[in-house]
Amino acid sequence: MNEYGTLHKVDGRYALRFERFFLHNPEDVFHVLTNPGDFSKWYPFATGEMDLKLGGEIAFDDGEGTTYTGIITELEAPYLFGFREVDDLLNISLQEEGKGCKMIFTHTFDDDSWAVNTAAGWHRCLDVFCQIVNHQPVVWHDNAAKLRDIYRESFK
């Protein structure tokens, strides 16, 4: 399974898609995914405030004076978590696979001019998510520039 994300054009929008495999059942991964305390450790600008229900809000703060909310649009424990963040859609699905599960993370957006930076950012965030799921210390690796180069080449 390729750990790098892929970029797709879907219905006039763009979608970044990442896959990760875990040696954990979907219930355990879903718990980390939707636990507000864990969510704020790996998801950019998340404040830890989340009303975990369909139509519930997720609070974000960019640290520079802008706050906004996301709306939960899909919630089917332990297999599906989706929300709208401003105009972007985030969809995270979990599928049982072997002795664990596969996570498919999709970010759908309009402007592809930020696709390389966004892909590199999500790659780093998902690395941290994997650390949390696997009960490892959270380490943000200094690999953003390298990842941007990889995605710039991949998205040509």
Side-chain angles (χ1 to χ4, degrees):
M1 184 177 316
N2 185 356
E3 73 175 68
Y4 292 103
T6 55
L7 180 64
H8 309 269
K9 192 160 186 178
V10 180
D11 298 328
R13 299 188 85 199
Y14 297 91
L16 282 169
R17 176 188 163 109
F18 295 85
E19 294 183 4
R20 296 290 187 271
F21 180 77
F22 299 98
L23 290 173
H24 301 278
N25 63 45
E27 291 82 3
D28 291 344
V29 177
F30 190 83
H31 175 75
V32 172
L33 178 63
T34 58
N35 176 291
D38 290 330
F39 189 75
S40 65
K41 292 177 187 172
W42 70 273
Y43 196 94
F45 309 132
T47 65
E49 295 178 32
M50 179 188 302
D51 184 14
L52 190 60
K53 65 181 183 185
L54 201 55
E57 294 185 349
I58 304 171
F60 297 98
D61 184 338
D62 73 357
E64 297 178 2
T66 301
T67 60
Y68 54 98
T69 57
I71 303 296
I72 297 173
T73 57
E74 298 178 276
L75 185 64
E76 295 176 25
Y79 300 109
L80 185 60
F81 179 54
F83 57 96
R84 177 179 302 279
E85 182 184 331
V86 188
D87 292 326
D88 295 1
L89 294 174
L90 287 293
N91 179 285
I92 305 157
S93 66
L94 301 170
Q95 303 168 355
E96 293 179 16
E97 191 169 292
K99 294 183 179 184
C101 69
K102 176 170 69 171
M103 178 177 81
I104 300 171
F105 178 100
T106 307
H107 176 185
T108 305
F109 53 96
D110 292 320
D111 182 3
D112 71 334
S113 67
W114 283 90
V116 167
N117 290 337
T118 303
W122 281 131
H123 190 113
R124 295 180 74 230
C125 291
L126 293 173
D127 285 350
V128 168
F129 178 77
C130 292
Q131 293 168 11
I132 296 167
V133 169
N134 292 312
H135 309 288
Q136 299 168 338
V138 170
V139 177
W140 287 90
H141 299 288
D142 186 17
N143 60 349
K146 178 182 176 187
L147 287 168
R148 282 192 300 273
D149 289 344
I150 290 168
Y151 285 112
R152 192 173 294 111
E153 185 64 29
S154 175
F155 295 169
K156 279 185 178 178

